Amino acid sequence: MEKTAASDSAPGLLFSGADWDFNTLKATYDAIEDIAINELKLNVYPNQVEVITSEQMLDAYSSIGMPLMYHHWSFGKRFVRDDVMYRKGYQGLAYEIVINSNPCISYVMEENTIVMQALVIAHAAFGHNHFFKNNYLFKQWTDAEGILDYLQFAKRYIAKCEDRYGFDAVERVLDAAHALMEQGVNRYSHPEKPNLAEELERERERAKYEDETYNDLWRTLPQAEKDDEDLDEMRRKMRMEERRAQFGLPEENLLYFLEKNAPSMQLWEREILRIVRNIGQYFYPQKQTKMMNEGCACYVHYAIMNSLYDKGLISEGAMMEFIDYHSRVVFQAEYDDPRYSGFNPYALGFAMMQDIHRICVDPTEEDRKWFPDIAGNNEPIETLKEAWAHYRDESFILQFLSPKLMRDMRMFLIEDLSSSPHLEVAAIHDDNGYRKVRRALARMHDISVREPDMQVVDVDIRGNRQLYIQHTEHDGIRLEKSEAEMTLGYIGQLWGYGVTLQAVDHETGEILHEMDYTPEDLANS
């Protein structure tokens, strides 16, 4: 639906009032692009800005923000829930959705005022766009050139599978794959296969270890008994080592392992697992850079909107409207506020970007001590672009969170141990305290700590085909029993045989508890 721009725009202004038409929007986009490219020197993909309705925005929500997506009941369920909540006023809609693709697609709602359109174009089409194109995680794990074509293939392929094998059969595989999507990503680059020279060196190290750990007390055992025990143990270890080498264990990517090795899975089922894990991998960098990505976009839209005002291209009224929107985005509730639910990634990210800018142009002696490489270099934009390219959330916090910002945001560290009846203030505002707070906050953003660490560690492929999954517990945090049972059931459903889940302590390696799922459980579920 086309909106009509106000006809009484003051000379030199891009717009006046709240209304807009596509000519006004195009002129505003061009002015924003000029600042982003020529002043901020951002490196972005070509932009494609789509103006959509609120219902289309809800639809984009339901399909995880992608313009193309296969059909699944969970998407429809989410659409109905969000639609009801929105119509009743219980929740609002995002100002925009942006897609990491080439061209970079940004969705903006037609209900937005022209000031809001300017804000979201600066935020998404240039802020997020630059971050997507330049951050090393997105370069390593995503393919902006091919994602839209791949989604088109996925949608067609799953539709064909529904026609050929039945809707229920496809839905059964998708349900299990979606449940395991969080455990269907590669967190690290896989090492190359060892060559023959490395195998020989490994054998030498093994022989050396056996010589060093030889114990003469073994001679006191009856020879036959000792020989039998030694032989059985050696054979067991050799079989386990062979299996682990054959299957590349331990394997962190459960969907990849099941896709490649599930004994009775059909080819079309394996392809569906591959589709789901590729989509999960596409989103994995976004989970590791949420705070940085939003901080980058907020910094960019703030700089661009201020530049538009300084150039006389937007009015004071438009600037006040922008400040209102911006303030709501970067609002941070105090720890004792009922609205507090942790650090707002927009607030923390924007504050850190602004603080780095300050350190570069107006450092204190404290800044020079903590950040000697960047303090006073008078190159804030280049410093930020370097950081946006080479860090993720936890490493960015460890490197750039300053004592001043910790004081400004009133950060403190509380130790809450289950073994102690009392809370303890673990860090105060001194050098050691600042470092403790910074490490603790970085750890909160470390996805390897926040998400369950589950890996395939063994499989008895020549026996009963039992699959062994290991969950490593950090800080005493256990899997919730009912969810663990459901996850184990989905793994067993795809594997087709029994599955054992072992929980081990991260510090000691001790097996804490064990859970089994058998083919009988699969048949009864």
Side-chain angles (χ1 to χ4, degrees):
M1 186 177 94
E2 182 173 306
K3 295 196 171 189
T4 304
S7 58
D8 56 345
S9 296
L13 294 179
L14 292 169
F15 52 80
S16 63
D19 293 338
W20 55 270
D21 59 20
F22 285 100
N23 290 330
T24 308
L25 193 62
K26 178 63 166 61
T28 303
Y29 174 89
D30 290 341
I32 291 171
E33 182 181 44
D34 178 64
I35 296 169
I37 302 302
N38 297 318
E39 293 184 15
L40 300 181
K41 307 294 184 183
L42 300 183
N43 177 24
V44 297
Y45 294 121
N47 274 305
Q48 180 177 328
V49 179
E50 301 279 353
V51 181
I52 61 176
T53 64
S54 58
E55 185 171 355
Q56 288 172 316
M57 183 66 82
L58 286 164
D59 188 49
Y61 272 22
S62 67
S63 58
I64 56 178
M66 304 306 292
L68 296 167
M69 202 62 184
Y70 53 80
H71 299 296
H72 188 253
W73 63 268
S74 63
F75 301 151
K77 177 182 177 181
R78 182 173 180 182
F79 176 85
V80 171
R81 182 199 66 190
D82 289 342
D83 183 59
V84 170
M85 297 289 284
Y86 175 65
R87 303 302 173 196
K88 291 186 176 181
Y90 294 141
Q91 77 174 36
L93 293 180
Y95 294 145
E96 40 73 31
I97 290 179
V98 58
I99 298 168
N100 173 29
S101 60
N102 186 7
C104 181
I105 301 175
S106 302
Y107 292 130
V108 300
M109 286 199 298
E110 67 176 9
E111 290 90 344
N112 291 343
T113 67
I114 183 59
V115 173
M116 177 60 73
Q117 302 293 38
L119 187 158
V120 298
I121 287 172
H123 182 95
F126 292 96
H128 283 311
N129 189 344
H130 174 89
F131 195 88
F132 287 148
K133 186 175 182 182
N134 295 278
N135 182 264
Y136 79 102
L137 285 172
F138 289 90
K139 288 182 175 182
Q140 180 179 357
W141 292 116
T142 65
D143 178 15
E145 300 282 348
I147 183 62
L148 297 180
D149 290 337
Y150 187 78
L151 289 174
Q152 182 66 41
F153 154 77
K155 183 175 182 178
R156 291 175 178 173
Y157 185 86
I158 290 177
K160 288 179 180 178
C161 289
E162 289 173 344
D163 291 339
R164 179 172 298 180
Y165 305 107
F167 181 83
D168 291 340
V170 173
E171 186 176 272
R172 173 178 166 273
V173 178
L174 280 175
D175 286 350
H178 282 185
L180 299 172
M181 183 184 282
E182 301 293 329
Q183 304 301 322
V185 297
N186 294 320
R187 291 172 173 80
Y188 308 98
S189 298
H190 285 212
E192 296 179 358
K193 294 181 180 179
N195 57 35
L196 293 178
E198 291 172 340
E199 288 292 333
L200 180 60
E201 183 62 27
R202 183 179 299 175
E203 182 61 34
R204 289 172 178 165
E205 290 292 331
R206 188 182 300 118
K208 180 181 178 183
Y209 174 78
E210 290 174 355
D211 289 342
E212 292 174 348
T213 57
Y214 172 74
N215 192 328
D216 196 54
L217 288 175
W218 284 109
R219 292 189 301 105
T220 64
L221 290 176
Q223 187 63 33
E225 180 182 345
K226 181 175 79 73
D227 288 347
D228 289 344
E229 289 180 0
D230 284 352
L231 189 59
D232 288 345
E233 180 65 14
M234 184 177 67
R235 286 174 175 171
R236 187 189 70 80
K237 288 183 177 180
M238 288 181 63
R239 286 195 297 269
M240 179 182 291
E241 190 171 325
E242 288 174 0
R243 288 197 303 265
R244 289 167 67 90
Q246 176 186 353
F247 291 100
L249 302 179
E251 173 57 64
E252 61 182 354
N253 191 328
L254 300 189
L255 286 182
Y256 175 82
F257 180 87
L258 294 169
E259 173 200 333
K260 299 300 181 184
N261 301 297
S264 57
M265 189 176 290
Q266 298 183 49
L267 288 176
W268 66 270
E269 294 174 306
R270 299 182 196 275
E271 187 61 41
I272 288 179
L273 292 194
R274 180 176 175 81
I275 288 170
V276 172
R277 70 178 181 83
N278 281 340
I279 293 174
Q281 193 72 61
Y282 169 88
F283 285 105
Y284 186 62
Q286 298 190 30
K287 295 163 64 176
Q288 298 180 83
T289 57
K290 173 71 173 176
M291 182 271 295
M292 281 189 70
N293 202 342
E294 297 300 348
C296 167
C298 288
Y299 177 89
V300 168
H301 82 228
Y302 188 81
I304 288 176
M305 294 299 290
N306 274 278
S307 182
L308 289 176
Y309 177 70
D310 292 341
K311 292 174 182 292
L313 297 176
I314 60 175
S315 66
E316 291 183 358
M319 195 62 185
M320 292 298 294
E321 182 182 347
F322 158 71
I323 291 172
D324 177 55
Y325 290 136
H326 173 78
S327 299
R328 281 188 270 171
V329 168
V330 300
F331 170 75
Q332 175 62 57
E334 297 289 339
Y335 76 95
D336 55 352
D337 191 308
R339 295 167 293 179
Y340 179 79
S341 59
F343 281 104
N344 174 2
Y346 294 82
L348 180 59
F350 178 69
M352 287 194 67
M353 304 310 165
Q354 290 288 89
D355 195 51
I356 292 171
H357 186 115
R358 177 194 62 79
I359 292 169
C360 290
V361 299
D362 187 23
T364 64
E365 287 303 314
E366 181 183 55
D367 296 324
R368 295 185 186 279
K369 174 184 173 183
W370 280 71
F371 307 103
D373 293 338
I374 66 171
N377 67 7
N378 290 312
E379 294 183 349
I381 301 298
E382 291 305 312
T383 302
L384 284 168
K385 287 194 290 187
E386 282 291 309
W388 295 337
H390 297 115
Y391 292 88
R392 56 186 178 184
D393 284 352
E394 73 270 20
S395 58
F396 180 73
I397 290 170
L398 279 173
Q399 181 68 27
F400 292 106
L401 183 62
S402 74
K404 180 182 184 303
L405 187 57
M406 287 184 246
R407 292 192 295 268
D408 290 346
M409 298 191 75
R410 300 178 182 179
M411 296 182 185
F412 57 91
L413 178 61
I414 295 289
E415 280 193 1
D416 182 10
L417 302 177
S418 59
S419 58
S420 173
H422 305 290
L423 298 177
E424 178 184 347
V425 178
I428 60 175
H429 284 182
D430 57 20
D431 276 8
N432 288 334
Y434 291 135
R435 288 184 170 85
K436 286 182 180 180
V437 170
R438 188 160 70 172
R439 285 196 298 269
L441 184 59
R443 183 175 172 81
M444 289 172 57
H445 288 80
D446 186 349
I447 199 168
S448 67
V449 175
R450 289 189 286 117
E451 292 192 346
D453 179 6
M454 298 177 64
Q455 300 186 29
V456 180
V457 294
D458 198 9
V459 55
D460 188 6
I461 198 66
R462 296 180 182 174
N464 60 4
R465 294 185 174 179
Q466 188 80 4
L467 184 65
Y468 295 89
I469 309 291
Q470 187 176 91
H471 169 241
T472 303
E473 293 188 0
H474 294 268
D475 301 327
I477 300 175
R478 295 190 172 185
L479 295 174
E480 201 281 323
K481 184 178 179 182
S482 61
E483 292 190 4
E485 289 175 345
M486 290 179 61
T487 300
L488 203 57
Y490 282 123
I491 295 172
Q493 174 184 314
L494 295 173
W495 178 247
Y497 295 89
V499 184
T500 297
L501 175 63
Q502 293 180 333
V504 301
D505 184 78
H506 172 65
E507 298 292 337
T508 65
E510 174 189 359
I511 297 178
L512 302 173
H513 54 90
E514 195 170 275
M515 186 182 300
D516 289 305
Y517 216 70
T518 66
E520 289 75 21
D521 296 322
L522 298 174
N524 295 330
S525 62

